Structure formats: C-alpha cells, structure tokens
Amino acid sequence: LKGFWLSAPPVYRHIRPQRFKKMARRGNTLLSLLVAALGFAFVSQAFVSPSRGAAPEVDARVLGATFAGLAPLAVEQPANAYDSVVAMLQSWLVGGIALVLIYGAAFVAALANPLTKRRQEVKSEVEAMKKA
C-alpha cells in the first residue's frame, strides 16, 4: 500500500489505510456470518439420513468379480518417472509424430472429400450455365 499513496492523485491522499482496514474487517465478518448461515440453511435441507432398516446385503459374486477385475492393477507397477531425459524426449517425439500423422490424415480427408469435390463441380456448372 505504500506505493499506492505515492502514486495516488492529491484528492485521495487524505485517506489513510487505517480506514480501509476497519472497513474490510467489518464487511468480512458480516459476509462470513451470512455465508455460514446460508450454508447451514441449504445443507440442512439437502441432508437425507439413512434408513433405519437392515444393512444392505453384499453379494459375494459381485465382490469376487470386482477383485478379479482389479487384480491386474495390483500386479502392474505404475511408471512414475522416466529413466532418463532421452527416454522422455523420445516419448515426446513419438507422441508428436502420432499427432502430426492424425492431424495430417484428417487434413487429407478434408481435402479429398468427394462431396466437397462434387459441390465444387456443380457450382462451376451452375456458373457456366448462368454465363451462357
């Protein structure tokens, strides 16, 4: 705030930072209480308590299928880091080449679109008919 008072126009130099601090504290407390009250009002209406009935039954087959499906993830160790900078650069190079090939194929497909070519032929025929 020190730099602000040096660059402020002469009209605002009579205002001291203390007034702003008091105003910020007062508004901050009021705003905090208001947000807390609104949050409590909305959360209390949105909460649904669980039923008092019996606990849900867990089927052993579902549990077994879940663990069987997740078993390969436990065996495979994640690769958290590259072995070297060269390996990282190689992976970026391979990924970049793959992206260039994908975008290049999409560009060629857009240029070689037979419908677009046919539309251009019809357009040129219509223009030739208009001229004749």
Side-chain angles (χ1 to χ4, degrees):
L1 287 174
K2 200 172 217 180
F4 171 74
W5 300 114
L6 295 176
S7 64
V11 177
Y12 298 113
R13 288 196 184 158
H14 70 281
I15 301 173
R16 300 286 176 232
Q18 298 300 328
R19 293 178 70 189
F20 289 124
K21 286 182 182 178
K22 288 180 184 177
M23 288 171 44
R25 283 190 199 128
R26 189 178 313 132
N28 191 13
T29 305
L30 181 62
L31 182 63
S32 299
L33 290 175
L34 180 65
V35 168
L38 287 174
F40 179 73
F42 287 121
V43 169
S44 64
Q45 292 175 0
F47 179 73
V48 178
S49 61
S51 62
R52 300 281 181 197
E57 295 181 18
V58 178
D59 190 6
R61 294 177 295 173
V62 172
L63 192 63
T66 302
F67 281 121
L70 294 175
L73 295 176
V75 173
E76 187 68 30
Q77 294 297 320
N80 291 330
Y82 291 103
D83 292 338
S84 66
V85 174
V86 175
M88 181 184 68
L89 293 175
Q90 285 175 345
S91 71
W92 277 93
L93 186 63
V94 169
I97 290 172
L99 280 176
V100 166
L101 290 176
I102 291 169
Y103 279 109
F107 183 69
V108 168
L111 289 179
N113 189 353
L115 291 175
T116 303
K117 288 184 177 181
R118 178 65 185 144
R119 287 186 190 118
Q120 290 173 350
E121 290 175 7
V122 171
K123 183 180 176 182
S124 63
E125 290 175 7
V126 169
E127 289 176 357
M129 289 176 152
K130 286 182 181 179
K131 289 181 182 179

